Amino acid sequence: MCSCVRSSGALSPALLPRLLLPQTGLRLVGRGLRTSPRCVTVSGGGGGGDSQLPSLPSQARVVICGGGIVGTSVAYHLAKLGWTDIVLLEQGRLGAGTTRLCAGIVSMAKPISVECQMAKYSINLYQQLEEETGVKTGYVKTGSLCLAQNQDRFISLKRLASRLKVLGISCNIIKPKEVAKLHPLVNIHDLVGALHLPADAVVSSPDVNHALAVAAAGQGVQILERTSVQQVLVEKGNVTAVETDRGSIECEYFVNCAGQWAYELGQASEVKVSVPLHGCEHFYLLTKPLQEPLSPNTPVVIDMDGRIYAKPWQGGLLSGGLEKNPKPIFTEGRNQLEIQNMQEDWDHFEPILSALLRRMPSLESAEIHQLINCPESFTPDMRCLMGETPGVSGYYVLAGMNSSGLAFAGGAGKYLAEWMTYGYPSANVWPLDIKRFGNLQSSRTFLRHRVMEVMPLLYELKVPRWDFQTGRQLRTSPLYDRLDTQGARWMEKHGFERPKYFVPPGKDLLSLDQSKTFYKPDWFDIVGAEVKCCKEAVCVIDMSSFTKFELTSTGDQALELLQYLCSNELDVPVGHIVHTGMLNEKGGYENDCSVVRLSKNSFFIISPTDQQVHCWSWIKKHMPNDPHLHLEDVSWKYTALNLIGPRAMDVLAELSYVSMTPEHFPSMFCKEMSVGYANGIRVMSMTHTGEPGFMLYIPIEYALHVYNEVMSVGQKYGIRNAGYYALRSLRIEKFFAFWGQDLDAFTTPLECGREFRVKFDKDTNFLGREALLQQRQEGVFRRFVMLVLEDHDTELDLWPWWGEPVYRNAQLAGTTTSSAYSYTLERHVCLGYVSPPPGPEGLPTPITTDFINRGDYEVDIAGQHYPAKAKLYPFSSLFTQQKRRKEDMELSNLQGK
């Protein structure tokens, strides 16, 4: 096959640069090549030799680096929101980077909701740009077909279809025969079905970029080509200026949209900024027109199992894929003014070509026009980087598009412009927030290895609870080796290794590691045994990954800051623990944490693992510049052990010679005490699960000793290790919301039943108070509920995981945010939000308790609806009923014998 391909005259070196050389003035417009006059007013510089070039402005409000589709989208949307004095800098020619070589597919079939929303907005924007600017964007509404070669892929597409419908995106699950009707070339013999998205489209990315630039320039944005950013100047943590090869520009804001060069640009700044992304080569081919030319509106084909995509192009086909063995590039930080078509590699492309010919056998006779090799940038978790950087105020990033830059650029540019304008975007973008990463993910070796896994994973089938395999063991507890030898299976969170569960001796470790399913998982019984031990005896869970800060001051400064940041009352006696939210101006959760008052002017703050950078940044942003107030990240100083279960107090009493009963050690209290030989252990009477027990925060040098002592003494009480899957089951059945899953910057305490953690009458006014008072007066328009599936077979039915639509009286009412099997209720429990339908004129309607209690609920799992019972409070009564029912059954069985 490859020898036939290589012999094609279309692949001669003389023809390869035809689409790619900017000097020729040729651009890919719509679906063809033509000479196109530049319609946008731009300025060149830096050795261009043009004496008529305008000088560099000495100041601007915002400087955007990067003239690709992402940078021009940010400029366009900022201008739309009324910003003036915007300068966009491009080191080469406008759109001469990855944008020029983009495949041109805009699909809304994305794995998370915010990405689907961005793609939906992008499609609408690219369509209207032609009317707004008069510049053709090559927009064609083709629709797309996501193919499934096996049942697991088909299930994943059904789950995706359910989520897309919640967002108002039209889609249909169709049979293979319907695929053949929509696309004349697709071989359907091995397909089990497909997802059809009729509103997906193709565009010419250089022309969209051109249109955005025209529109931005029309609103006063100054665009300068041939101007390279050398570094960003920072003073007292704020952006002050940008140094270029043509001089400096004073500014308040800087936006890094440098694409491939975003990492290097971040490192080159006066204060280094971490932008964790890495480039890989990306290949696609172009065919000459087929004997029966493809219609321009032929659907795009995305065959993830075959690792390929294909779209119509000039009567022929454009097709590429995401291979299993990607080739990282630019590892030396080398810079290029404009990205040229890199070296072709037919041997590397051969598996993709073979998969294409299996899917479209009639292409055997097609003549190939050329093979294009262009760079794409990828991030450590397959999601783009967006938002203000944690270390520098006014420094924003939008980069790392993971081969979906065209689909995301419109929506991402809009969200970032809103973020810069209002302080927050109009959607929950936490999954994309650059503050989900820290400096620990900026190692070049880590990024190189991780993106080699990420690029293939974009098309890999991802079942729930999958884990990255590269970049592991970056952050570990001192107990890692000890737990590993006892059968711990590991997951990674913010670079930290955490135990999922512990495989008992005699179990097949390999089969468990390779278990992938949307149904009942192989670890079901293992986690069930851990949960049982937590409820009846005592378990130890290593929770060292949790974020831990200490805030101290010489006077009342620490208390005053926390009273302003936290909605709950923090002026409590020393030793008391307070669960509280840190809210934004809208009353939404920026952080959900536990705060311990260690002394009059010293506080210990415990937050979720992935809050380490975000929470630090949030506190620092509001801290006064006071030398007597000090915030320290002590996450690495303490190992945290969670002792859960009724016998936890017996274990600790033996090790400390102190009574641990509730009379002597009340709930939500912290004491510093000795455990075994180790002194200075912070023991807290809480577990994060609602079960009885304690948290032990142990100075790291004592960790192994304390763990060994706990396990030794605990033997007589039936102690065992447990993991995060057991923790998840326990907290969900107790209706405990978790930040990043159930809580976000748009969720208020009144919506999730946590008004009791808001002290409206405390002496200090707190952030978000006015918004909550207004919400309390106007009513809440959605509520956090618990849904227990009633007619669901755990053994045979698909499991709920998260993101499933919730229906009330056959009408869409909300979605689930997390779920787990409750081993106590012996049923699945989902947590999520429901809302009443809009009232007159489409206005939201306040939600009432009656609305929740009197509805008939169903949870949609991959298109199948399962009845559920909704509650606003935990099923504590059901726990006792369930236990009584089991005891009655056991008694009747004994009587029967």
Side-chain angles (χ1 to χ4, degrees):
M1 174 52 56
C2 285
S3 59
C4 171
V5 167
R6 290 193 188 95
S7 67
S8 169
L11 293 176
S12 69
L15 292 177
L16 280 174
R18 185 172 294 171
L19 285 175
L20 310 168
L21 294 179
Q23 302 94 290
T24 63
L26 295 178
R27 296 192 301 118
L28 184 61
V29 179
R31 297 180 312 283
L33 279 169
R34 71 167 186 229
T35 303
S36 176
R38 299 183 66 81
C39 302
V40 66
T41 304
V42 296
S43 304
D50 190 339
S51 60
Q52 297 180 349
L53 290 174
S55 60
L56 196 74
S58 60
Q59 67 83 34
R61 189 180 182 198
V62 56
V63 173
I64 301 168
C65 177
I69 195 167
V70 173
T72 54
S73 176
V74 172
Y76 169 84
H77 286 96
L78 283 174
K80 282 279 188 180
L81 290 174
W83 286 57
T84 56
D85 209 11
I86 302 170
V87 174
L88 187 149
L89 305 178
E90 166 55 47
Q91 64 179 351
R93 294 282 294 275
L94 199 67
T98 303
T99 294
R100 184 162 39 114
L101 303 173
C102 181
I105 298 169
V106 190
S107 174
M108 294 177 279
K110 302 300 177 186
I112 59 175
S113 293
V114 68
E115 292 179 339
C116 299
Q117 290 171 277
M118 292 194 303
K120 181 182 179 183
Y121 175 85
S122 295
I123 286 178
N124 293 332
L125 172 67
Y126 302 160
Q127 187 176 10
Q128 75 182 40
L129 272 175
E130 291 191 11
E131 297 177 16
E132 183 178 340
T133 64
V135 177
K136 294 287 186 183
T137 61
Y139 172 88
V140 181
K141 183 179 176 181
T142 59
S144 67
L145 295 165
C146 301
L147 310 181
Q149 294 185 27
N150 54 65
Q151 285 297 332
D152 278 344
R153 177 70 70 183
F154 200 34
I155 290 168
S156 74
L157 293 179
K158 288 177 180 178
R159 289 176 59 85
L160 175 60
S162 295
R163 293 204 303 271
L164 291 173
K165 288 173 183 176
V166 171
L167 300 172
I169 296 172
S170 175
C171 62
N172 301 288
I173 294 294
I174 62 175
K175 297 177 180 179
K177 288 182 180 179
E178 295 173 86
V179 173
K181 292 176 184 175
L182 290 167
H183 201 295
L185 302 183
V186 173
N187 173 18
I188 64 169
H189 81 278
D190 60 344
L191 299 182
V192 296
L195 173 64
H196 179 220
L197 288 85
D200 280 357
V202 298
V203 295
S204 163
S205 53
D207 292 329
V208 170
N209 189 67
H210 187 61
L212 288 168
V214 167
Q219 296 183 71
V221 176
Q222 190 172 359
I223 301 174
L224 302 174
E225 295 183 312
R226 304 294 184 189
T227 306
S228 297
V229 174
Q230 295 177 332
Q231 69 170 338
V232 179
L233 302 183
V234 178
E235 188 175 318
K236 295 180 180 178
N238 297 289
V239 169
T240 58
V242 174
E243 278 190 0
T244 77
D245 57 348
R246 298 177 56 208
S248 296
I249 307 175
E250 293 182 5
C251 61
E252 298 175 53
Y253 300 92
F254 176 74
V255 188
N256 183 343
C257 299
Q260 292 292 321
W261 321 121
Y263 176 94
E264 283 79 8
L265 181 57
Q267 295 297 302
S269 297
E270 193 174 46
V271 174
K272 287 188 177 182
V273 170
S274 173
V275 185
L277 56 78
H278 199 296
C280 283
E281 296 183 21
H282 177 59
F283 298 85
Y284 63 82
L285 62 79
L286 304 168
T287 75
K288 290 187 174 181
L290 305 180
Q291 288 183 349
E292 293 186 19
L294 272 182
S295 167
N297 58 3
T298 304
V300 170
V301 171
I302 302 171
D303 183 357
M304 292 186 178
D305 296 314
R307 315 193 70 84
I308 57 169
Y309 62 81
K311 74 161 193 173
W313 184 79
Q314 290 191 356
L317 204 71
L318 179 156
S319 180
L322 298 173
E323 64 273 27
K324 288 187 175 182
N325 55 334
K327 299 169 69 176
I329 50 173
F330 304 145
T331 53
E332 300 82 24
R334 182 176 66 243
N335 214 336
Q336 298 178 0
L337 285 182
E338 294 177 359
I339 296 169
Q340 307 298 328
N341 188 33
M342 296 179 294
Q343 185 174 1
E344 63 179 28
D345 188 340
W346 281 105
D347 290 331
H348 189 77
F349 189 73
E350 193 276 333
I352 294 175
L353 182 59
S354 297
L356 174 64
L357 293 175
R358 283 194 298 273
R359 184 56 53 217
M360 300 179 182
S362 62
L363 293 179
E364 285 275 4
S365 59
E367 188 176 1
I368 294 174
H369 177 61
Q370 68 184 117
L371 178 66
I372 290 177
N373 177 4
C374 61
E376 288 280 0
S377 56
F378 298 87
T379 63
D381 64 354
M382 302 182 287
R383 297 172 185 170
C384 74
L385 305 170
M386 177 191 295
E388 190 173 20
T389 60
V392 182
S393 179
Y395 192 125
Y396 287 80
V397 172
L398 186 55
M401 294 295 163
N402 299 283
S403 197
S404 294
L406 182 62
F408 293 157
K414 172 179 179 283
Y415 288 152
L416 190 74
E418 291 172 344
W419 204 332
M420 295 174 68
T421 305
Y422 307 118
Y424 43 84
S426 57
N428 173 31
V429 296
W430 167 246
L432 315 176
D433 193 329
I434 193 170
K435 289 187 286 295
R436 71 191 187 273
F437 294 121
N439 288 327
L440 62 95
Q441 285 100 350
S442 285
S443 154
R444 263 304 192 194
T445 304
F446 168 83
L447 290 171
R448 180 183 176 89
H449 290 176
R450 175 57 66 85
V451 300
M452 290 175 70
E453 178 183 15
V454 161
M455 187 175 172
L457 267 176
L458 288 166
Y459 273 9
E460 204 69 52
L461 179 68
K462 293 178 285 294
V463 298
R465 310 277 178 92
W466 60 272
D467 301 293
F468 288 108
Q469 301 302 308
T470 56
R472 298 296 296 270
Q473 299 184 35
L474 181 59
R475 306 171 74 195
T476 58
S477 157
L479 307 178
Y480 178 85
D481 289 340
R482 183 64 55 89
L483 299 179
D484 196 58
T485 59
Q486 295 181 73
R489 311 324 293 160
W490 300 95
M491 61 190 288
E492 174 257 331
K493 188 82 165 179
H494 198 61
F496 216 112
E497 297 295 329
R498 314 199 303 183
K500 297 186 286 190
Y501 51 82
F502 287 78
V503 180
K507 283 278 187 180
D508 186 345
L509 302 184
L510 187 62
S511 68
L512 272 169
D513 285 342
Q514 294 177 343
S515 172
K516 295 180 179 181
T517 179
F518 290 100
Y519 292 89
K520 177 183 174 182
D522 288 344
W523 43 257
F524 178 82
D525 292 331
I526 294 173
V527 174
E530 292 178 6
V531 168
K532 187 176 190 317
C533 188
C534 286
K535 288 182 171 294
E536 298 178 359
V538 57
C539 276
V540 180
I541 303 180
D542 183 354
M543 296 178 64
S544 302
S545 67
F546 268 39
T547 296
K548 300 172 279 290
F549 297 146
E550 284 183 2
L551 184 68
T552 57
S553 60
T554 55
D556 292 336
Q557 299 96 327
L559 176 62
E560 289 171 0
L561 175 62
L562 287 177
Q563 286 284 64
Y564 174 68
L565 288 178
C566 299
S567 60
N568 210 339
E569 176 63 69
L570 268 296
D571 193 2
V572 294
V574 171
H576 281 243
I577 305 169
V578 178
H579 285 321
T580 182
M582 290 186 182
L583 311 180
N584 52 38
E585 291 179 354
K586 303 186 279 70
Y589 281 93
E590 291 293 337
N591 184 24
D592 184 46
C593 57
S594 302
V595 181
V596 186
R597 192 167 195 176
L598 299 175
S599 68
K600 182 182 178 183
N601 300 319
S602 177
F603 296 85
F604 190 58
I605 304 167
I606 305 159
S607 300
T609 303
D610 55 3
Q611 272 277 13
Q612 187 169 12
V613 177
H614 181 264
C615 181
W616 174 272
S617 177
W618 185 255
I619 296 174
K620 276 291 194 180
K621 180 179 180 179
H622 296 91
M623 272 182 72
N625 187 15
D626 186 342
H628 303 293
L629 181 62
H630 180 64
L631 178 68
E632 182 183 2
D633 187 340
V634 295
S635 299
W636 62 274
K637 286 187 175 181
Y638 293 95
T639 294
L641 292 184
N642 194 349
L643 265 64
I644 302 179
R647 307 312 298 266
M649 66 176 70
D650 298 312
V651 174
L652 281 182
E654 278 200 40
L655 284 169
S656 62
Y657 294 95
V658 173
S659 176
M660 304 299 291
T661 61
E663 295 77 23
H664 295 89
F665 205 133
S667 178
M668 299 301 290
F669 198 75
C670 173
K671 290 182 182 178
E672 195 166 284
M673 52 196 288
S674 60
V675 177
Y677 297 150
N679 206 0
I681 312 299
R682 291 175 183 169
V683 180
M684 304 178 193
S685 51
M686 66 174 188
T687 61
H688 301 287
T689 65
E691 301 294 331
F694 301 88
M695 287 293 306
L696 277 61
Y697 286 90
I698 309 159
I700 201 164
E701 64 269 26
Y702 300 146
L704 203 53
H705 167 75
V706 172
Y707 173 78
N708 288 340
E709 291 293 297
V710 166
M711 294 302 287
S712 176
V713 169
Q715 292 304 312
K716 68 181 79 163
Y717 302 109
I719 199 167
R720 66 180 290 168
N721 293 299
Y724 273 76
Y725 285 6
L727 192 79
R728 183 184 182 91
S729 175
L730 290 167
R731 73 98 178 160
I732 287 176
E733 72 176 19
K734 287 294 177 67
F735 204 10
F736 279 24
F738 197 75
W739 196 93
Q741 292 172 232
D742 311 301
L743 308 177
D744 57 42
F746 287 80
T747 308
T748 73
L750 278 63
E751 293 170 342
C752 63
R754 290 187 172 189
E755 188 171 351
F756 67 95
R757 292 185 184 173
V758 179
K759 296 298 183 279
F760 288 104
D761 56 351
K762 70 178 182 178
D763 294 338
T764 309
N765 187 33
F766 61 86
L767 192 59
R769 182 175 182 271
E770 289 76 15
L772 294 186
L773 286 171
Q774 183 178 349
Q775 188 179 54
R776 192 162 68 168
Q777 184 177 355
E778 295 177 352
V780 174
F781 303 113
R782 63 173 189 155
R783 275 301 300 266
F784 191 51
V785 298
M786 172 185 275
L787 295 151
V788 178
L789 300 190
E790 295 199 297
D791 187 17
H792 180 269
D793 191 322
T794 304
E795 299 288 334
L796 302 176
D797 291 331
L798 287 166
W799 276 29
W801 295 97
W802 62 272
E804 291 86 9
V806 177
Y807 290 85
R808 179 189 179 275
N809 296 350
Q811 283 189 314
L812 180 66
T815 56
T816 66
T817 51
S818 58
S819 66
Y821 182 81
S822 167
Y823 293 89
T824 308
L825 294 174
E826 297 180 353
R827 300 184 214 168
H828 261 95
V829 176
C830 301
L831 308 182
Y833 291 87
V834 296
S835 304
E841 301 179 6
L843 296 175
T845 306
I847 195 167
T848 63
T849 303
D850 277 353
F851 175 85
I852 293 167
N853 291 338
R854 295 185 179 181
D856 293 324
Y857 290 88
E858 293 176 316
V859 176
D860 177 347
I861 307 176
Q864 180 82 30
H865 288 216
Y866 296 90
K869 189 169 185 178
K871 296 284 278 186
L872 280 167
Y873 305 99
F875 276 72
S876 53
S877 59
L878 265 180
F879 291 144
T880 54
Q881 291 171 13
Q882 193 82 1
K883 185 177 180 182
R884 194 177 301 119
R885 187 173 64 82
K886 285 181 68 178
E887 289 171 350
D888 290 345
M889 286 178 63
E890 289 168 2
L891 182 62
S892 63
N893 288 338
L894 286 171
Q895 290 172 343
K897 291 178 181 178

